[in-house]
Structure formats: C-alpha cells, structure tokens
Amino acid sequence: MTGPVRFAVVGCGVIGALHADVLAAGPDTEVSVLVDVDAAAAQAVAARLGTGTPVTTSLDEALARDDVDAVAVCVPSGAHTQIAVAALQAGRHVVVEKPLEVTVEAAAPIAAAAAAAPAGTVASVISQHRFDPSSTAVREAITAGRFGRVTSAVATVSWWRSQAYYDSGAWRGTWELDGGGALMNQGVHTVDLLLWFLGTPIDVVAHTGLLAHERVEVEDTVAAVVRFESGALATLHATTAAYPGLSVRLQVMGDAGSAVIDDDRLRYFHSREMAASEAGGGPGVTAERGDRTDQTALVLGPEDGGAGGPMFSGHSRQYRDVVEAIRTGTRPGITIEDALLALATVQAVYESARTGAPVRVADVLAAVQVPAP
C-alpha cells in the first residue's frame, strides 16, 4: 500500500474527535467517513475537520465504501467488540481505543476475528505511551540490562474527575460499558507500561473503593500488589479522587539502576554503568551507596504535540506505527495479545478486590484462547 491509509472513525465523542484530528493531520492517513448513531455528533466532528468528510449513522454503510482501508473504534469500551469484529470480518485493518473491551470474555471475539483475518491485516489497540521517548528509553535500558535485575516498581495514577464527569454520560462509571473505574478507564495505560517493563504478571492482591463520588457502579480508588514471573513486585494505585489532580508516575527499580517517569517525562534515570563511566560516579555516589536523589543524567519528555497537546502527539506516534505495519505487513507495536494481557491484569485486580483473595492473571486470561500468530 503506497497512498494514505483511509479510516472510518466510529464513535464521534471526545476520543473519536481526537482520533479524527490525528488522522486528518497525519501525512499518511486520512478520514474517509465519520460514523455515529448520533448524526449530530458526527456532523460536529466533520465541521471541526472542515474537509467535507461524509457522515453516516450506519456502520454497514461505512464498511460498504471502497475508500475505507481501516476502522478506528472510538465508542464506549463495552461496545468495542461488535464494531471491531464487523470491521475485521469485512477485511479492514482495525485500531481500537483502550481498553480492548470491558472483560477478556467480551474481548474474545475480537481476538478470534483478528486471528482469522487474512495475512497482513493489522489489529492494534491504543496504548500510545509505549511510544513516548521516556518509555522507550526505560524499556531499552531494561532490555540491555542497564538496571541489572529489575526488582520492583511503583505505578500511580493520581487524577481527579468531578461528579459532573460521571454524570455527563449514562455509560460512564458502569460495569457494562466502562468496564471499571479509575483503573480500567484512567489507569490501563499505566498497567500496560508496567507489564512492558516488568514482564508477565503472575498474580494480584487488591482492594478498591468508591470514596469521593456517588451514582457510580465502579471504583474511584484502587490499590494493588502485582507479582511477576521474574520475582519482581509492583504496587499499583489509581484514583480519580485526588483533587485537584496530580500526576501519573511510574518508578522502576533494579539492583543496578532505576528510573522515574512522571507525566510522560523521564525525571530520573541512573545506572551503575553510568556511575562507573563518570568520575567515580560524582560526589557521594559509589557502587555500594548510590542513594542520591539528584543523579538524573537523562531527561526526556514527549514530543511537542503542538496545539493538539501530548495526547495528540502520543496518538500520532502510534498511528505512524500502525501505518508502518500496514505497509510492511509486520506486527504493530501494540498487538491484541498485549491489550488482552493488560485487560486481564485489570480484571484480576477487580476479582481480587471482590473476593478478598489473590487472583492469578493466567486464570483470567484462560477465558480467551488466542491461536498462535
């Protein structure tokens, strides 16, 4: 494929409008049609694009068009499966906004349809923070062994969402369409990064609470401990009850180095290898005692998102990865399997909080049988 990849954007709410903006601005992508059961919502996004993009309330009508190569699924989480499966069965590439679905059981048909799709069909799920310069720097350091044995991590999403946010849509804060609260909706990106850095999770012990909101079925606060195959341990915290809204912070610690990403910026990065390459590691720093807090030798932030902001730039980077996968016939940076693992981990957190017992992630994931690629 040599020309722009032409997308149908399905779902024209806040996140659908973002996808449309990113696709319309990309040099290798364009929006062919906007789809929403609320025609006014689709028309509003079309007016925003200012390109005369056609709109429809019918997914079938969009998939019947010969100028749709791919579909961006931007509806509420609990409605992802129907649209993603229809698009894959129609021979289109698919990009699903996070999370993949509300449970692994609900996501199973997507996994099956992606596995059954013709060779070269790309199916990906938005997890744009894997493409942040800060995240890639930490991942590369872990993979290269610069942090030694990774021993632990602390992941926290400390945000605020008002009651008006939850009241703004009947689907918000529901198990059926939101799939969960602070962790599923706001924290799943951080869960994905935690897994990318530390590997395969074994089990989870967790507690959840609804502490600052009402008329909501799901949690606004969660705290969990995750144990990994490597032996590493991580604490995972997410809340939408941290007024006025703090940062998303991920600390990764090993016996030869550590890093801190705060609001997508690499605020701290140090390894024994770096200390050895400097003059004795600097004043007060040795291989035996490296407890200084000012050893950051590398600071990275997200690419400039311009007027679109960090979310725009993050989605842009991931869409570039998707286009590359479509053109080369390779796997995208984020696969359905990656998204299933993150979803299963979140589901294990909820199951542990419900039962008061540890939950094995593999047991949750067993509900989905994904054929080998």
Side-chain angles (χ1 to χ4, degrees):
M1 183 173 186
T2 57
V5 180
R6 301 164 297 179
F7 277 82
V9 176
V10 183
C12 295
V14 174
I15 199 64
L18 173 66
H19 280 252
D21 286 346
V22 168
L23 292 167
D28 299 311
T29 54
E30 61 184 43
V31 180
S32 297
V33 61
L34 295 161
V35 187
D36 199 295
V37 292
D38 179 357
Q43 289 163 358
V45 175
R48 172 183 179 140
L49 297 180
T51 55
T53 305
V55 304
T56 180
T57 59
S58 168
L59 176 63
D60 290 341
E61 182 178 311
L63 293 176
R65 297 176 65 98
D66 59 8
D67 60 352
V68 171
D69 306 307
V71 173
V73 181
C74 304
V75 297
S77 304
H80 285 175
T81 292
Q82 178 182 0
I83 295 163
V85 168
L88 287 165
Q89 290 178 344
R92 301 322 202 272
H93 308 289
V94 167
V95 176
V96 182
E97 179 56 53
K98 63 79 185 171
L100 179 59
E101 248 287 353
V102 293
T103 64
V104 295
E105 293 87 351
I110 302 178
T121 303
V122 171
S124 187
V125 180
I126 292 294
S127 192
Q128 75 272 19
H129 294 295
R130 284 203 193 189
F131 300 91
D132 291 345
S134 54
S135 301
T136 56
V138 173
R139 166 74 176 190
E140 289 168 2
I142 293 171
T143 302
R146 295 179 65 190
F147 292 167
R149 180 177 182 178
V150 175
T151 56
S152 60
V154 177
T156 180
V157 180
S158 303
W159 284 359
W160 170 253
R161 292 292 184 267
S162 68
Q163 185 64 43
Y165 165 83
Y166 288 103
D167 291 342
S168 67
W171 66 277
R172 292 194 186 278
T174 65
W175 288 112
E176 180 182 4
L177 292 176
D178 227 355
L183 188 59
M184 180 71 84
N185 197 310
Q186 282 77 27
V188 69
H189 285 306
T190 305
V191 172
D192 178 70
L193 286 181
L194 188 64
L195 304 183
W196 200 41
F197 293 158
L198 269 64
T200 304
I202 295 295
D203 56 26
V204 174
V205 178
H207 294 280
T208 62
L210 179 62
L211 306 177
H213 300 91
E214 56 187 20
R215 300 185 300 280
V216 175
E217 296 176 359
V218 297
E219 89 290 349
D220 62 12
T221 304
V222 57
V225 175
V226 185
R227 185 168 62 101
F228 290 82
E229 277 187 352
S230 66
L233 299 173
T235 60
L236 175 61
H237 161 262
T239 184
T240 54
Y243 184 85
L246 305 177
S247 64
V248 177
R249 186 176 177 91
L250 180 53
Q251 301 174 201
V252 178
M253 294 153 282
D255 61 8
S258 301
V260 178
I261 299 172
D262 194 288
D263 273 349
D264 306 333
R265 293 187 177 275
L266 188 57
R267 300 293 187 181
Y268 182 90
F269 185 102
H270 187 79
S271 71
R272 184 177 295 149
E273 174 185 296
M274 289 168 55
S277 67
E278 297 167 359
V285 181
T286 70
E288 290 73 36
R289 181 175 174 81
D291 56 359
R292 291 280 296 277
T293 60
D294 60 352
Q295 296 173 29
T296 307
L298 177 64
V299 177
L300 293 172
E303 293 175 5
D304 181 10
M311 282 190 68
F312 186 96
S313 61
H315 281 70
S316 296
R317 286 193 293 271
Q318 183 159 357
Y319 268 115
R320 288 198 293 270
D321 172 78
V322 168
V323 169
E324 180 67 14
I326 290 172
R327 288 182 170 170
T328 61
T330 55
R331 288 165 66 87
I334 310 297
T335 64
I336 297 296
E337 292 83 359
D338 294 327
L340 277 170
L341 185 60
L343 179 59
T345 304
V346 172
Q347 197 170 332
V349 167
Y350 291 149
E351 183 68 9
S352 176
R354 186 183 68 81
T355 63
V359 173
R360 292 180 59 86
V361 176
D363 291 343
V364 177
L365 200 55
V368 181
Q369 299 296 325
V370 182

